[in-house]
Amino acid sequence: MNKRVAVLCSAAAAAATMATAVPPASGAPAGPGTTSPAQARHTPPTWKKCATKDHPTLQCASLKVPLDHHEPHGRQITLALSRVPHTAKTFQGPLLVNPGGPGGSGLSMAGFVAKSLPKKTAAQYDVIGFDPRGVGKSRPALNCRPGHFDPVRPATVPTTPALERANLARARAFAKACGKKYGDVLPFIDSVSVVQDMDAIRAALGAERINFFGYSYGTYLGALYGRLYPHRVRRMALDSLVDPTGVWYDDNLQQDHAFGDRHKALMAWIARHDSAYGLGKDPDKVEAKWYAMRKALAKKPAGKKVGAAELEDTFIPGGYYNGYWPHLAKAFAAYVNDKNSKPLVAVYKSLGAVDAAGENSYSVYTAVQCRDVQWPRDWRTWRDDNDRIHEKAPFSTWNNAWYNAPCAFWPTHHLSQPDVANSELPPVLLFQATDDPATPYDGAVNLHRKLRGSRLVVERGGGNHGITLSGSKCLDRHLTVYLTTGKVPAGGGAADAVCEALPDPKAAKSTKAATSAQVTKARPGTGPRALSHPWSTMGA
């Protein structure tokens, strides 16, 4: 997940509960033939061509929305929008899409979804992408502390008091910088405000109802939108489901266990392909070599770039997407067997390094999650919880803890955790892999129960995050039928439909480590795995 810090003297004015953060009329949209307040405030976007080679019909626009939706005539901010317009005679309205985060840019997702769906289905929708408030091309765009992730950072596991103090200092510095730089906007960077922006987009498009398709954190936005605006929802498909009962502290702790299991799955895969990587046939011994590598890098970073923290950043994306496994395994083998650290540095630059877009994503991630709900303010709670989990899941527990640690020092008042339980929505279609570490399966079950009448499609044995439009004909068939006709699986039992997972990747034929460009090419370029820092697809 992500974290943030903000607001000083303006915090008191924003110290409202979740209920008071919602405009009074938000749950009761105007009926057919009437004009809602949102529609009266927002003029239609002016679409301009912004075509790319891959998306020749892509259009872009901007939309002014209130910084504070309680003050519709007050300060305005700008949302960046994208659209692939419908071409079929049958028009099913706008399909608003979100790739996750918090902090994920959604502009490119319109083209990704329009291109990935069957042509006949995509042609029936205006596919609408957007950069949420604070993100990407929306204005203002946040970057609280440039260089916050520059290598080499302190090792994440606090084996000494000095390491703990160093990481705490980084977290405090980020929170302080964000509050100083963006104190006027941080009280309004939160999930409820994003959902209100989504309804403003709907109103500006002139649509009575919208369709919505979201990944990861986008599933939480969808559930929250359905709670606040149930009569504005036509169809909703949610992929890789955030547990709404654990936002956000508990969800992060659950992630730690799941990422530990997924890392073990990678080690077992490497052991099965010993002929390619030469790291041994025993998964436990392969894993021991990985932890020995981490210990060595803490003392002597590879290429003065990859220390222990950066190694974790590099391998965490392997939990989101097993397509990275061959590249990670080759770099691991080169370092251990050949004493060659160059491949490790290359794969770090592709998967672990954080650029300016990543800094923006992290800034928004932190602002949203720290503002959304209450986090522990006593660092002893964090230390006790993470020490306990680290004993069983030592791969990324402390990495995730420090990623979220600014929330212990966040300057804004927190909102109250909402209950997204809903019996007013049309059937919502849910997708979840059983072994997804970013949004663990139990959370999907919780959301399925919360959304009465929803249908859950499970990818049995799957461990990737963001599973539709990624090569599974079974999953994509359910999505396509739903978006085309509105039909959902008949239902029954914990899962309403089951698809088998795609096979794990094959081992690389060559023992030569991949270049940074090759790793980047292997990565899906838009969609839920494209965010610049691994944790920012958590949504959770």
Side-chain angles (χ1 to χ4, degrees):
M1 303 184 153
N2 305 17
K3 323 118 199 189
R4 269 184 210 148
V5 178
V7 182
L8 303 173
C9 57
S10 59
T17 64
M18 182 64 76
T20 59
V22 181
S26 64
T34 64
T35 301
S36 71
Q39 287 173 313
R41 288 197 304 268
H42 300 291
T43 57
T46 301
W47 297 101
K48 299 180 180 180
K49 293 182 179 179
C50 57
T52 66
K53 182 179 179 180
D54 290 335
H55 310 299
T57 63
L58 190 67
Q59 301 172 343
C60 295
S62 62
L63 178 68
K64 295 287 187 181
V65 297
L67 174 66
D68 179 358
H69 282 274
H70 283 129
E71 300 290 341
H73 301 295
R75 178 180 173 184
Q76 303 289 297
I77 60 174
T78 303
L79 302 180
L81 310 180
S82 62
R83 177 177 75 167
V84 177
H86 75 284
T87 56
K89 291 183 179 179
T90 300
F91 179 45
Q92 302 210 46
L95 174 62
L96 196 63
V97 296
N98 181 274
S105 170
L107 290 182
S108 62
M109 192 177 171
F112 168 76
V113 171
K115 186 176 182 178
S116 301
L117 286 171
K119 290 183 180 179
K120 290 184 178 180
T121 301
Q124 297 177 18
Y125 288 95
D126 284 347
V127 185
I128 309 292
F130 69 105
D131 276 353
R133 54 176 55 205
V135 175
K137 293 186 177 181
S138 292
R139 292 293 180 266
L142 276 57
N143 189 339
C144 294
R145 190 172 183 245
H148 184 70
F149 287 100
D150 286 354
V152 174
R153 309 197 310 272
T156 62
V157 182
T159 53
T160 67
L163 278 174
E164 183 176 37
R165 287 194 299 270
N167 280 298
L168 278 171
R170 290 185 69 252
R172 285 194 180 96
F174 188 88
K176 183 178 180 179
C178 214
K180 182 178 181 180
K181 198 171 182 179
Y182 300 110
D184 57 335
V185 298
L186 285 180
F188 311 104
I189 307 293
D190 56 76
S191 295
V192 168
S193 295
V194 173
V195 165
Q196 292 169 327
D197 291 344
M198 289 165 56
D199 201 57
I201 295 172
R202 174 203 60 76
L205 296 173
E208 286 293 327
R209 296 185 297 165
I210 61 168
N211 309 279
F212 180 76
F213 177 35
Y215 290 98
S216 194
Y217 171 68
T219 70
Y220 183 64
L221 291 178
L224 190 55
Y225 184 90
R227 177 66 175 179
L228 301 185
Y229 305 98
H231 303 297
R232 294 301 190 190
V233 177
R234 182 175 179 269
R235 291 176 191 162
M236 184 179 291
L238 307 177
D239 182 334
S240 302
L241 308 165
V242 168
D243 185 349
T245 69
V247 292
W248 292 111
Y249 184 75
D250 288 344
D251 277 352
N252 274 280
L253 297 180
Q254 292 305 312
Q255 269 192 330
D256 297 335
H257 291 288
F259 268 97
D261 291 341
R262 194 64 178 152
H263 187 65
K264 287 182 178 293
L266 169 58
M267 299 297 105
W269 180 85
I270 292 173
R272 290 197 300 272
H273 295 92
D274 179 57
S275 60
Y277 303 116
L279 289 165
K281 298 181 179 180
D282 184 336
D284 291 339
K285 292 182 179 179
V286 174
E287 188 176 16
K289 291 181 180 179
W290 191 91
Y291 285 109
M293 176 173 63
R294 183 169 74 173
K295 185 176 181 180
L297 289 169
K299 295 179 179 178
K300 185 180 179 181
K304 298 182 180 180
K305 292 285 187 181
V306 184
E310 290 75 25
L311 178 72
E312 293 157 0
D313 292 349
T314 303
F315 273 75
I316 286 168
Y320 285 94
Y321 178 51
N322 61 6
Y324 298 142
W325 287 5
H327 307 293
L328 294 170
K330 286 193 288 186
F332 179 12
Y335 181 86
V336 172
N337 296 333
D338 304 328
K339 311 303 179 186
N340 180 6
S341 62
K342 290 183 179 180
L344 189 61
V345 174
V347 76
Y348 159 72
K349 290 179 179 178
S350 295
L351 298 181
V354 178
D355 58 10
E359 291 174 343
N360 167 240
S361 176
Y362 177 67
S363 294
V364 177
Y365 168 98
T366 312
V368 169
Q369 294 208 359
C370 299
R371 170 71 171 152
D372 269 1
V373 294
Q374 184 174 9
W375 290 71
R377 291 285 180 161
D378 187 340
W379 183 251
R380 290 173 295 184
T381 300
W382 294 68
R383 182 192 296 128
D384 292 346
D385 287 340
N386 286 281
D387 276 345
R388 171 175 47 81
I389 295 173
H390 176 80
E391 291 182 4
K392 296 181 178 180
F395 165 56
S396 60
T397 295
W398 275 105
N399 186 295
N400 195 19
W402 295 121
Y403 196 79
N404 289 280
C407 290
F409 313 105
W410 206 245
T412 62
H413 190 280
H414 64 84
L415 301 175
S416 298
Q417 181 174 338
D419 184 357
V420 300
N422 206 320
S423 60
E424 300 182 64
L425 294 174
V428 176
L429 189 59
L430 310 174
F431 294 90
Q432 181 67 39
T434 56
D435 300 331
D436 177 358
T439 52
Y441 182 76
D442 286 348
V445 174
N446 287 338
L447 183 60
H448 185 27
R449 290 170 179 164
K450 291 276 187 182
L451 303 183
R452 184 176 179 182
S454 63
R455 297 291 187 268
L456 176 60
V457 181
V458 171
E459 185 185 46
R460 182 163 49 200
N464 287 340
H465 184 66
I467 53 178
T468 57
L469 306 183
S470 296
S472 170
K473 293 181 180 180
C474 178
L475 294 168
D476 291 352
R477 182 171 61 252
H478 285 290
L479 177 64
T480 300
V481 168
Y482 178 68
L483 291 178
T484 305
T485 69
K487 293 182 179 179
V488 294
D496 301 294
V498 176
C499 295
E500 298 301 325
L502 297 174
D504 283 335
K506 297 180 180 179
K509 294 181 179 180
S510 171
T511 57
K512 184 179 179 180
T515 65
S516 178
Q518 288 171 325
V519 177
T520 302
K521 186 177 180 180
R523 176 175 54 194
T526 47
R529 305 185 201 99
L531 300 184
S532 54
H533 191 282
W535 289 114
S536 58
T537 48
M538 170 57 193

